């Protein structure tokens, strides 16, 4: 049984069908990349998996770790180990990153019946992780994402992933808006978190992230359908020929 | 009527001068106005809406209606808004003067009615007069409703496009204290478009008291550019209420420029009744001597998804006073409202005073509303920077003052109106800085 | 920080108003109703000097000629001032000489409220004056403070022990004629706290008064007076709770602060009077006059308030900035939920040269509540170079509530710089979803975001109060989402 099983998923937004029957399995220990042009439904897929409102699932199913994911609330999914790295992380004025992270971590620990971490213990946990990602203490004291640069926001997302240790990580265009140095830092962060019991769904428009985070499988999403799946070499093929032929395939 | 009533509600005896041979709608309006004015009287210090603007001085001059202007009066073109080529309707002491007007509206196929003879007014006037402005809590507008003498009603048919702007010119000139109460109505049909400019100009002479009301109805998709220039004498009271009602997708671009008067109150009340209605109201004022300039704005978001933006700036010198009262009301069902207000005042001298009350009253949660207000003098660092570049102080101050007010003019949508307002402002500031820079 | 976690726990367990219990204790009361006799009764009970009785009577006679103010944006049925008790006190033979003599029932009550009065159990660095209904029942750490010349005692005790100081300052900031509720308080105030910090002394601990309304049908009218002499400093905290009762109870307090040259008073309030039930039945009418006079050069008064309780709040802690270079600050969080109404804000009156003020007000409305910020910034002609900065932000939760901002800005000096900003918004869906995606429940997320919204204000509170206040923010908004 795969960690995530998506079966013939149909999703509408405001009456318009965006995902038109997607099937996909993500096994623990594997990295799957979903590539596709703008408007293909990539972000819709990530939001539906995370449980954002405003998306109507009109058909199909999503099972996570054997349970019906679509029946769970967004926070329940998160506590059970589904993590979404946002394409556009939101700013929360007045709430420091440390406070936010600790509350999130302890919410998950409570769910799993583990003891909550007090401030001192938490600092120890966070110290280890921040070093690896080159995140300063100053950043942790600032309110969540407020005044962060594009690169800082994305690094903060990866830091949160490192601390919350999800079982399924959905990374939505984590490479967008990053220069080459920041892309390297973020990729290293993701690679460091690859493990046998964690599944990763990497959503991206460009192939360049996949140079750093090498996927096990690549899927091409076009006009709401997965039109082709293959190994990592599929990404290179796309790089050369572009999405045009897949758009035709989807339209056909 | 006992003496006490006369004290708290003066001018009621002037009712005798009003023509009583009136159609029903006019008589009803007068009765309604009379009832409210009798009840509320001339506002005193305890009346919140008039907290900062006192009208006690009104009772010190023996203002009389029906005072005629000196013979041979002409429109001083250099002092009104420069709207060359506009249709002109000229009122002197509140009365329409055909011989000074240049009205080609009929040629453009626009319906226009002189309200001086209400008996001849068509049905649409009867139907809409007094329907936009609620008189409760508006004692001066009520006084106007009771006593109004002349005015104009204009109707733009659905889809009508007024080719040339309409310029309403009000001259005040009297050798004895004169009061006049004009009242106007504009109906802009669906998808119509027009530009209306008012110039209120006081000529030297005895004190005057102008108390006017303008009602405007903008139907769906109508667009109205409206500007008002007030340049009254230092003895003049200018009290005006402009009430607007906007239907869905209608847009109002308003501007109020006050350059002179003893006591000026421009009260603008806008009701955004339906989705997509938009109001952009800006204004500037220059107050010196003993002038008192009050801009009061009430924006009523009564429908969802409407937007309002209100920006006023004032320069206050000598012992003058500036007042800004802005209220944005967002009703419970007016979700997705965007409402913003800003008032900035520049105080030029130690006797100057500014009072601002920018108010929000909000009952819907999904809104973006805000307001800001500041009061300060010219930034001395900026003045010094200009001096250090060799610019004389008077000029430096004028430059900075103009710049301070200048960006409000940028709020005006119509380039033609913006140019006319900007020119009037520059003319006026050249005067004020010549005094202050010395 | 460990305390924040506790907040979440308490939120998760869905805690209601936890201070709603009643203490069963024998009370002594003035006869019901209000007359000159009531005033004389209270004054006689307190064995007051003639001048004070006269002052009370002048206030009472004036009050009879005054009308209740109606300008605030609050509505409530008319109050029958004759249908209430104006004095209630726990029955004791004599005033307690030490904590050992305090009625154990009372000690237990404060224990239950989280305010242990036994000194050995106290949080280090906080001295407490406990006011139960109308009278002060215990003051801790008195000795230690006395050694430094700091007076911290019940007002009734101060009248006896320091009559000259009381006479000099009482009513000097809020005169007995000030307003309807302050005038009523002047006539019938029963007790309160008096603090005097002598020249050059920095009070080494937080002084705290804990107000508790217990008796039914009883108004509470305490009066607090704090005087900080030149170069002194004191931080004062007050907390308030009351039992859950179906009737409305009136709380009309007066607080007067005076700072002389270079002195500073920091006054913090966490107001959690019973707010009434979800339908608006019962709750405290909190009609309070608080005002500070910065009389000395470079003196400073800082008000912080977290208003979460009361059915109706009507209060405007203000600063009169007379001394050259004096500073007034006002930080406020007002949370209204269910049927609560709050009309609160401040007045900053700039009289002296170079005075400055800062106002940060955060209003949160939920349920069917109405919250209004009402404030005045006035720059007098002689206030050369005065500065004010005001920021008012409102947050609405749900479409049945209201949030209003009514600032008055009056400047009569061109060298002054006044800046006012206000915003109204709601919690964005994006913020909420971001928190949910990280595993927080909706209530936790709202509490977190609202705490962030209020952070600038909560930061100004002393540590112990900040923790308490953060918890209250979450609890007050319970049931407002979902």
């Amino acid at each position: 049984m795969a960690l995530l099983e998506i079966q013939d998923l149909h999703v509408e937004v405001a009456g318009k069908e965006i995902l038109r029957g997607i099937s996909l399995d993500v096994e623990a220990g594997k990295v799957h990349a979903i590539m596709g042009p703008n408007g293909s439904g990539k972000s819709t897929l990530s939001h539906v998996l995370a449980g954002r409102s405003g998306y109507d699932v009109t058909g199909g199913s999503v099972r996570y770790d054997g349970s019906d994911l679509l029946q769970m609330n967004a926070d329940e999914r998160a506590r059970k180990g589904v993590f979404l790295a946002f394409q556009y992380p939101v700013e929360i004025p007045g709430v420091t990153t440390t406070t936010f992270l600790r509350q999130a971590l302890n919410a998950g620990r409570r769910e799993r019946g583990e003891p909550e971490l007090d401030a001192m213990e938490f600092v120890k946990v966070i110290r280890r992780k921040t070093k690896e990602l080159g995140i300063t203490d100053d950043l942790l004291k600032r309110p969540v994402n407020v005044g962060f640069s594009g690169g800082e926001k994305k690094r903060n997302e990866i830091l949160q992933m490192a601390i919350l240790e999800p079982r399924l990580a959905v990374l939505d265009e984590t490479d967008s808006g990053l220069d080459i140095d920041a892309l390297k830092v973020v990729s290293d962060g993701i690679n460091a978190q690859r493990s046998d019991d964690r599944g990763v769904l990497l959503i991206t428009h460009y192939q360049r992230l996949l140079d750093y985070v090498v996927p096990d499988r690549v899927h091409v999403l076009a006009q709401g359908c997965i039109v082709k799946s293959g190994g990592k070499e599929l990404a290179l093929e796309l790089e050369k020929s572009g999405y045009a032929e897949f758009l035709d395939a989807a339209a056909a | 009527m006992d003496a006490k009533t006369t004290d708290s509600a003066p001018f009621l005896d002037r009712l005798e001068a009003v023509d009583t041979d009136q159609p029903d709608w006019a008589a009803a309006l007068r009765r309604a106005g009379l009832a409210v004015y009798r009840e509320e009287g001339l506002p005193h210090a305890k009346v919140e809406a008039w907290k900062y603007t006192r009208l006690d001085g009104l009772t010190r001059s023996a203002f009389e209606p029906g005072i005629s202007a000196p013979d041979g009066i002409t429109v001083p073109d250099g002092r009104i808004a420069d709207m060359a080529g506009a249709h002109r309707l000229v009122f002197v002491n509140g009365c329409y003067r055909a011989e000074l007007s240049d009205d080609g509206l009929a040629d453009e196929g626009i319906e226009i009615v002189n309200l001086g003879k209400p008996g001849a007014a068509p049905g649409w006037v009867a139907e809409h007069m007094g329907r936009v402005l609620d008189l409760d809590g508006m004692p001066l507008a009520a006084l106007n409703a009771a006593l109004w003498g002349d005015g104009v009603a204009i109707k733009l048919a659905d889809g009508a496009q007024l080719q040339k702007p309409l310029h309403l010119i009000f001259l005040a000139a009297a050798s004895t204290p004169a009061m006049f109460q004009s009242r106007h109505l504009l109906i802009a049909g669906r998808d119509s478009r027009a530009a209306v400019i008012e110039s209120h100009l006081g000529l030297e002479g005895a004190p005057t008291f102008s108390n006017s009301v303008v009602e405007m109805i903008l139907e769906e998709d109508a667009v109205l550019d409206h500007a008002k220039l007030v340049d009254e004498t230092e003895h003049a009271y200018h009290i005006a209420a402009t009430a607007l009602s906007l239907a869905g997708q209608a847009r109002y671009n308003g501007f109020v420029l006050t350059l002179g008067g003893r006591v000026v109150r421009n009260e603008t009340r806008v009701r955004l009744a339906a989705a997509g209605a938009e109001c952009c109201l800006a204004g500037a004022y220059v107050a010196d001597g003993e002038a008192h300039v009050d801009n009061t704005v009430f924006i009523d978001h009564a429908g969802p998804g409407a937007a309002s933006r209100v920006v006023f700036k004032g320069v206050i010198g000598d012992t003058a006073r500036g007042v800004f009262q802005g209220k944005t009301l967002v009703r419970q069902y007016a979700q997705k409202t965007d409402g913003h207000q800003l008032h900035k005042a520049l105080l030029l001298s130690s006797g100057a005073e500014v009072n601002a009350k920018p108010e929000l009253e909000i009952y819907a949660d999904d809104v973006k509303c805000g307001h800001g207000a500041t009061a300060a003098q010219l930034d001395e660092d900026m003045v010094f920077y200009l001096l250090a570049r060799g610019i004389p102080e008077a000029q430096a101050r004028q430059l900075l003052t103009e710049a301070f007010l200048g960006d409000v003019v940028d709020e005006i949508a119509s380039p033609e109106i913006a140019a006319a307002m900007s020119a009037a402002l520059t003319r006026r500031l050249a005067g004020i800085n010549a005094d202050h820079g010395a | 920080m460990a305390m924040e976690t506790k907040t979440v726990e308490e939120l998760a367990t869905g805690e209601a108003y936890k201070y709603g219990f009643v203490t069963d204790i024998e009370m002594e009361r003035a006869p019901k109703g209000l007359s000159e006799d009531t005033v004389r009764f209270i004054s006689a009970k307190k064995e007051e000097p003639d001048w004070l009785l006269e002052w009370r009577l002048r206030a009472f006679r004036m009050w009879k000629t005054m009308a209740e103010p109606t300008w605030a944006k609050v509505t409530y049925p008319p109050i029958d001032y004759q249908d209430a008790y104006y004095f209630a006190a726990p029955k004791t033979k004599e005033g307690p000489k030490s904590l050992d003599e305090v009625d154990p029932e009372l000690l237990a009550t404060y224990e239950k409220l989280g305010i242990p009065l036994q000194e050995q159990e106290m949080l280090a660095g906080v001295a407490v004056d406990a006011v139960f209904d109308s009278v002060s029942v215990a003051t801790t750490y008195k000795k230690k403070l006395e050694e430094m010349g700091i007076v911290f005692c019940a007002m009734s005790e101060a009248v006896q022990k320091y009559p000259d100081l009381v006479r000099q300052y009482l009513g000097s900031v809020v005169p007995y004629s000030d307003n309807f509720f302050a005038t009523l308080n002047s006539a019938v105030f029963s007790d309160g706290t008096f603090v005097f910090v002598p020249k050059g002394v920095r009070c080494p601990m937080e002084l705290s008064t804990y107000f508790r309304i217990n008796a039914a049908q009883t108004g509470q009218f305490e009066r607090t007076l704090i005087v900080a002499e030149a170069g002194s400093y004191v931080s004062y905290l007050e907390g308030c709770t009351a039992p859950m009762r179906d009737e409305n109870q009136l709380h009309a307090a007066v607080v007067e602060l005076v700072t002389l040259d270079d002195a500073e008073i920091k006054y913090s309030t966490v107001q959690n009077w019973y707010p009434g039930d979800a339908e608006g039945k019962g709750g405290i009418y909190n009609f309070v006059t608080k005002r500070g006079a910065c009389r000395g050069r470079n003196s400073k008064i800082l008000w912080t308030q977290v208003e979460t309780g009361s059915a109706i709040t009507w209060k405007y802690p203000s600063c009169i900035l007379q001394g050259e270079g004096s500073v007034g600050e006002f930080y406020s969080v007002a949370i209204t939920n269910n049927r609560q109404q709050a009309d609160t804000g401040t007045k900053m009156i700039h009289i002296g040269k170079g005075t400055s003020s800062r106002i940060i007000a955060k209003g949160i409305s939920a349920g069917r509540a109405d919250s209004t910020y009402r404030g005045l910034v006035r720059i007098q002609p002689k206030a050369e170079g005065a500065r004010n900065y005001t920021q008012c932000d409102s947050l609405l939760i749900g479409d049945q509530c209201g949030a209003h901002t009514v600032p008055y800005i009056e400047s009569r000096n061109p060298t002054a710089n006044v800046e006012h900003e206000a915003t109204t918004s709601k919690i964005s869906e994006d913020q909420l979803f971001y928190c949910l995606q990280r595993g927080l429940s909706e209530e936790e997320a709202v509490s977190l975001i609202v705490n962030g919204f209020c952070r600038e204000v909560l930061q100004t509170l002393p540590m112990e109060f900040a923790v308490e206040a953060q918890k209250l923010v979450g609890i007050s908004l319970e049931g407002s989402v979902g």
Side-chain angles (χ1 to χ4, degrees):
Chain A
M1 179 187 72
L3 180 63
L4 179 72
E5 298 171 334
I6 304 174
Q7 275 294 327
D8 193 29
L9 182 66
H10 290 256
V11 175
E12 287 184 6
V13 176
K16 186 170 181 264
E17 187 162 53
I18 306 292
L19 296 183
R20 305 186 294 153
I22 286 189
S23 297
L24 177 68
D25 284 2
V26 178
E27 309 79 7
K30 300 289 188 213
V31 174
H32 285 242
I34 293 198
M35 300 185 68
N38 290 331
S40 59
K42 299 193 301 288
S43 285
T44 297
L45 178 61
S46 70
H47 285 149
V48 168
L49 292 178
R52 184 164 205 151
S53 56
Y55 297 88
D56 299 323
V57 175
T58 52
S61 69
V62 180
R63 299 191 76 77
Y64 165 71
D65 205 12
S67 309
D68 185 350
L69 185 71
L70 301 176
Q71 286 303 310
M72 299 180 207
N73 293 328
D75 50 327
E76 196 182 346
R77 297 179 197 197
R79 288 195 295 269
K80 290 205 151 81
V82 178
F83 179 88
L84 171 65
F86 288 73
Q87 185 182 2
Y88 304 108
V90 69
E91 301 185 356
I92 309 180
V95 177
T96 66
T97 305
T98 312
T99 304
F100 177 70
L101 273 174
R102 205 179 72 249
Q103 290 210 13
L105 177 63
N106 281 335
R109 292 181 70 94
R110 268 203 308 279
E111 178 89 16
R112 295 189 295 272
E114 296 164 10
E116 295 184 27
L117 298 185
D118 68 22
M120 293 309 293
E121 293 166 323
F122 179 71
V123 167
K124 271 188 226 156
V125 171
I126 204 169
R127 275 279 150 72
R128 256 185 290 132
K129 313 275 184 180
T130 49
K131 254 200 190 151
E132 292 162 13
L133 283 160
I135 286 171
T136 60
D137 279 5
D138 167 60
L139 201 121
L140 293 173
K141 281 182 202 143
R142 278 155 56 189
V144 181
N145 293 324
V146 176
F148 285 24
S149 69
E152 284 173 333
K153 282 184 183 170
K154 293 298 169 75
R155 268 188 282 159
N156 189 22
E157 293 293 292
I158 301 305
L159 170 69
Q160 294 184 34
M161 176 175 157
I163 286 168
L164 299 177
E165 300 180 319
R167 297 203 52 209
L168 175 69
V170 181
L171 309 179
D172 189 1
E173 309 243 0
T174 297
D175 53 330
S176 68
L178 295 183
D179 62 28
I180 194 74
D181 294 330
L183 182 65
K184 185 102 181 37
V185 173
V186 166
S187 304
D188 289 349
I190 298 170
N191 283 326
Q193 292 178 54
R194 292 176 80 151
S195 80
D196 288 347
D197 55 5
R198 178 170 297 147
V200 177
L201 194 57
L202 211 57
I203 293 175
T204 183
H205 183 99
Y206 299 105
Q207 184 267 337
R208 64 172 193 165
L209 175 67
L210 306 184
D211 287 344
Y212 297 94
V213 183
V214 180
D216 297 295
R217 295 285 291 166
V218 175
H219 311 273
V220 180
L221 186 65
Q223 298 186 354
C225 302
I226 288 179
V227 291
K228 189 165 187 182
S229 297
K232 63 189 175 208
E233 62 289 344
L234 180 57
L236 294 168
E237 196 181 306
L238 267 173
E239 175 80 352
K240 269 188 235 125
S241 54
Y243 288 111
E245 66 170 287
F246 297 108
L247 288 174
D248 297 341
Chain B
M1 191 183 315
D2 61 39
K4 191 165 166 282
T5 315
T6 317
D7 282 350
S8 60
F11 310 117
L12 278 177
D13 50 339
R14 314 296 201 274
L15 200 56
E16 294 156 15
V18 172
D19 179 10
T20 49
D21 182 19
Q22 304 250 312
D24 288 351
W25 64 268
L29 184 60
R30 290 191 195 285
R31 274 197 305 274
L34 199 59
V36 172
Y37 185 70
R38 271 216 174 102
E39 171 76 25
E40 300 185 10
L42 209 58
H44 50 79
K46 292 269 170 70
V47 176
E48 183 65 23
W50 292 82
K51 181 181 169 69
Y52 293 119
T53 298
R54 307 299 308 278
L55 297 177
D56 311 5
L58 271 182
T59 54
R60 284 197 284 272
S61 298
F63 290 116
E64 289 294 337
I67 303 289
S68 50
D71 291 339
I73 194 167
T74 55
V75 177
D77 282 304
R79 295 186 53 200
I80 56 171
D82 181 13
M83 299 300 299
H87 300 295
R88 261 185 186 196
L89 297 178
V90 180
F91 292 77
V92 178
N93 292 356
C95 294
Y96 177 62
R97 297 278 286 267
E99 78 280 11
L100 296 174
S101 303
D102 171 19
D103 163 20
L105 283 173
D107 301 339
E108 281 207 39
I110 307 294
E111 270 190 84
I112 174 162
V113 178
N114 183 347
L115 295 175
K117 297 183 178 58
W124 58 267
V125 172
E127 191 185 331
H128 294 290
M129 271 287 269
R131 295 297 166 85
V132 185
L133 182 63
D134 184 358
L135 296 178
D136 281 337
M138 299 283 295
L140 272 290
L143 181 67
N144 172 289
L147 301 183
W148 60 278
D150 206 342
V152 66
I154 298 159
K155 187 179 182 195
L156 283 110
D158 291 353
Q161 305 264 331
L162 195 54
Q163 298 303 314
K164 296 197 277 179
L166 169 62
H167 195 173
L168 299 165
I169 299 166
F170 300 87
L171 301 180
S175 49
T176 59
M179 63 187 285
F180 24 90
Q181 326 246 348
S182 65
R183 188 172 183 106
H184 314 278
L185 173 69
L186 174 94
I187 297 173
R190 283 165 184 264
D191 204 22
S192 65
R193 177 152 200 150
V196 176
I197 294 89
E198 298 174 45
S199 286
H200 297 258
L201 184 66
L203 303 174
E204 280 314 309
T208 52
F209 168 30
S210 161
N211 179 37
S212 63
V213 169
V214 178
E215 290 180 299
M216 295 179 169
I217 296 166
L218 274 61
E219 291 174 357
E220 281 84 357
D221 297 301
V223 178
L224 176 67
D225 291 310
H226 178 217
K228 179 184 174 192
L229 168 68
V230 181
D231 190 4
E232 303 264 19
T233 73
E234 60 190 4
H235 308 297
Y237 279 75
H238 177 99
I239 313 293
T242 304
L244 290 119
S245 174
L246 271 67
Q249 309 298 330
R251 186 183 166 94
Y252 173 69
N253 301 310
F255 192 79
V256 184
L257 178 62
T258 305
L259 301 176
R262 172 67 185 83
V263 174
V264 176
R265 164 127 158 168
N266 302 303
E267 180 158 359
T268 310
R269 303 177 72 86
V270 183
R271 184 178 156 87
L272 300 164
E278 232 178 292
C279 164
C280 178
L281 175 63
Y285 58 94
V286 178
D288 58 2
E290 288 184 281
H292 177 109
V293 178
D294 171 340
N295 284 292
T296 292
V297 179
F298 175 58
I299 308 283
D300 180 356
H301 281 269
S308 64
R309 177 179 164 79
V310 175
V311 182
F312 276 78
K313 283 188 164 190
V315 172
I316 307 157
D318 300 328
T319 56
R321 271 171 151 223
V323 174
F324 174 79
Q325 301 183 106
K327 179 166 177 173
T328 305
L329 168 66
V330 179
R331 296 179 192 266
Q332 196 187 339
Y333 38 87
Q335 294 291 4
K336 306 276 178 202
T337 285
D338 205 331
H340 292 270
Q341 280 180 51
L342 180 67
H343 176 254
K344 290 188 165 198
L346 199 58
L347 298 182
L348 295 181
S349 66
S350 57
E353 180 175 339
V354 63
N355 298 304
K357 186 188 173 199
E359 207 178 330
L360 297 171
E361 185 170 343
I362 297 179
Y363 297 97
D365 61 335
D366 192 6
V367 299
K368 280 195 196 116
C369 291
H371 65 229
T374 63
Q377 60 182 351
L378 278 181
D379 184 338
E380 289 304 316
D381 290 344
M382 285 196 219
V383 175
F384 179 74
Y385 189 81
L386 270 66
L387 295 182
R389 294 286 175 271
I391 298 167
E393 180 161 351
Q395 195 185 332
R397 289 185 185 278
Q398 180 177 347
L399 208 62
L400 291 172
T401 309
E402 260 187 72
F404 172 80
L405 292 178
D407 62 2
V408 203
V409 176
D410 294 343
E411 301 276 333
I412 302 173
S414 147
E416 209 179 356
I417 296 177
M421 293 298 127
S422 186
L425 195 55
T426 306
R427 257 184 346 244
R428 178 68 169 85
L429 286 174
I432 195 170
N433 279 287
D435 302 341
H436 287 276
Chain C
M1 297 244 249
M3 304 294 271
E4 283 173 45
T5 318
K6 214 173 135 204
T7 311
V8 173
E9 275 171 10
E10 279 170 2
L11 274 171
T13 57
E15 183 173 333
Y17 190 76
K18 67 171 179 180
Y19 308 106
F21 63 89
V22 178
T23 306
D24 189 11
I25 193 162
E26 208 180 337
M27 299 296 287
E28 181 176 18
R29 283 177 157 168
K32 206 175 198 178
L34 184 53
S35 65
E36 284 207 12
D37 289 342
T38 320
V39 176
R40 288 177 196 281
F41 176 91
I42 295 167
S43 190
K45 268 276 155 217
K46 301 271 164 195
E47 295 170 17
E48 284 176 355
D50 286 347
W51 67 264
L52 190 50
L53 174 62
E54 276 312 307
W55 191 76
R56 285 176 180 277
L57 289 171
R58 274 203 300 277
F60 179 70
R61 286 165 198 151
M62 173 133 201
W63 180 76
K64 284 196 295 187
T65 69
M66 294 168 97
E68 217 168 309
T70 54
W71 43 260
K73 203 173 161 41
V74 295
T75 50
Y76 53 93
I79 298 172
D80 182 353
Y81 289 90
Q82 295 305 333
D83 189 29
Y85 294 99
Y86 287 81
F87 182 83
K91 218 171 209 171
T92 47
K93 312 113 241 170
E94 282 283 299
K97 294 278 182 296
S98 74
L99 285 171
D100 303 337
E101 291 179 24
V102 175
D103 189 319
E105 189 69 29
L106 283 174
L107 289 179
T109 297
Y110 282 89
E111 199 81 38
K112 214 166 158 185
L113 294 169
I115 315 286
L117 295 176
Q118 265 82 6
E119 285 183 8
Q120 62 274 20
E121 292 176 16
M122 292 285 305
L123 286 163
V126 183
V128 177
D129 183 22
V131 175
F132 191 83
D133 286 327
S134 304
V135 296
S136 170
V137 291
T139 309
T140 63
Y141 288 113
K142 230 169 167 169
K143 278 245 155 56
K144 187 172 176 196
L145 294 167
E146 267 170 18
E147 284 163 17
M148 303 184 74
I150 298 170
V151 180
F152 176 45
C153 66
M155 182 63 86
S156 52
E157 188 184 334
V159 169
Q160 305 299 332
K161 280 193 175 164
Y162 314 96
D164 295 344
L165 276 177
V166 173
R167 194 169 184 177
Q168 183 183 348
Y169 289 106
L170 187 77
S172 74
V173 186
V174 180
Y176 71 79
S177 55
D178 195 80
N179 69 70
F180 185 82
F181 298 113
T183 302
L184 175 61
N185 172 288
S186 301
V188 302
F189 77 90
S190 36
D191 212 333
T193 309
F194 176 69
V195 176
F196 177 81
V197 190
K199 208 169 165 177
V201 173
R202 280 187 73 86
C203 182
M205 58 177 73
E206 311 278 352
L207 302 185
S208 170
T209 297
Y210 196 90
F211 294 102
R212 174 75 179 166
I213 293 179
N214 186 61
Q217 288 183 285
T218 304
Q220 178 151 325
F221 306 90
E222 80 275 353
R223 196 156 181 120
T224 299
L225 172 59
I226 302 179
V227 179
E229 281 203 323
S232 68
Y233 167 83
V234 62
S235 169
Y236 179 90
L237 323 170
E238 63 175 3
C240 332
T241 56
M244 294 157 76
R245 294 186 190 283
D246 284 349
E247 60 185 283
N248 294 109
Q249 280 176 282
L250 178 62
H251 172 250
V254 171
V255 174
E256 296 178 277
L257 311 182
V258 177
T259 49
L260 304 183
D261 287 359
D262 303 302
E264 178 175 346
I265 297 176
K266 190 174 151 110
Y267 193 107
S268 312
T269 304
V270 174
Q271 185 266 106
N272 187 25
W273 295 121
Y274 177 54
D277 69 9
E279 297 310 312
K281 195 165 174 133
I284 302 292
Y285 290 164
N286 191 36
F287 298 158
V288 172
T289 305
K290 293 184 170 180
R291 195 175 301 151
C294 285
R295 295 208 177 130
R297 292 168 67 97
N298 302 321
S299 61
K300 182 171 177 181
I301 288 176
L302 193 160
W303 297 101
T304 298
Q305 61 173 23
V306 176
E307 304 282 321
T308 61
S310 296
I312 300 176
T313 297
W314 179 100
K315 72 180 264 206
Y316 314 90
S318 305
C319 296
I320 300 172
L321 303 167
Q322 285 166 288
E324 200 174 316
S326 58
V327 177
E329 295 185 3
F330 174 76
Y331 297 92
S332 170
V333 169
I335 299 181
T336 50
N337 195 358
N338 297 319
R339 299 265 180 183
Q340 281 177 278
Q341 305 173 63
D343 193 302
T344 184
T346 184
K347 290 182 189 177
M348 293 289 174
I349 312 293
H350 292 256
I351 299 171
K353 271 186 194 167
T355 49
S356 65
S357 63
R358 184 178 166 84
I359 299 170
I360 307 288
K362 307 279 179 178
I364 297 108
S365 309
R368 293 174 172 276
D370 260 302
S371 177
T372 303
Y373 167 82
R374 189 181 301 276
L376 168 67
V377 173
R378 177 180 286 156
I379 311 288
Q380 305 270 54
K382 298 230 167 71
E384 288 286 313
R387 293 271 176 282
N388 160 265
Y389 175 75
T390 302
Q391 172 80 47
C392 304
D393 297 312
S394 307
L395 199 63
L396 293 126
I397 301 176
D399 62 358
Q400 302 290 310
C401 53
H404 321 299
T405 315
V406 190
Y408 296 80
I409 302 148
E410 306 176 358
S411 178
R412 296 176 67 188
N413 190 304
T415 64
N417 205 320
V418 183
E419 220 179 309
H420 171 100
E421 275 180 73
T423 65
T424 303
S425 54
K426 69 168 192 168
I427 294 177
S428 86
E429 295 294 332
D430 288 344
Q431 288 176 340
L432 208 55
F433 179 65
Y434 193 78
C435 294
L436 294 182
Q437 211 301 306
R438 295 299 182 253
L440 301 184
S441 70
E442 192 153 84
E443 286 203 328
E444 286 167 354
V446 168
S447 171
L448 188 74
I449 293 167
V450 172
N451 263 305
F453 174 76
C454 302
R455 182 161 178 245
E456 233 180 316
V457 174
L458 299 179
Q459 268 177 341
T460 67
L461 286 170
M463 189 56 188
E464 297 78 11
F465 260 35
V467 173
E468 167 100 349
Q470 282 184 353
K471 282 193 272 178
L472 270 178
V473 166
I475 292 165
S476 315
L477 289 170
E478 258 174 29
S480 62
V481 289

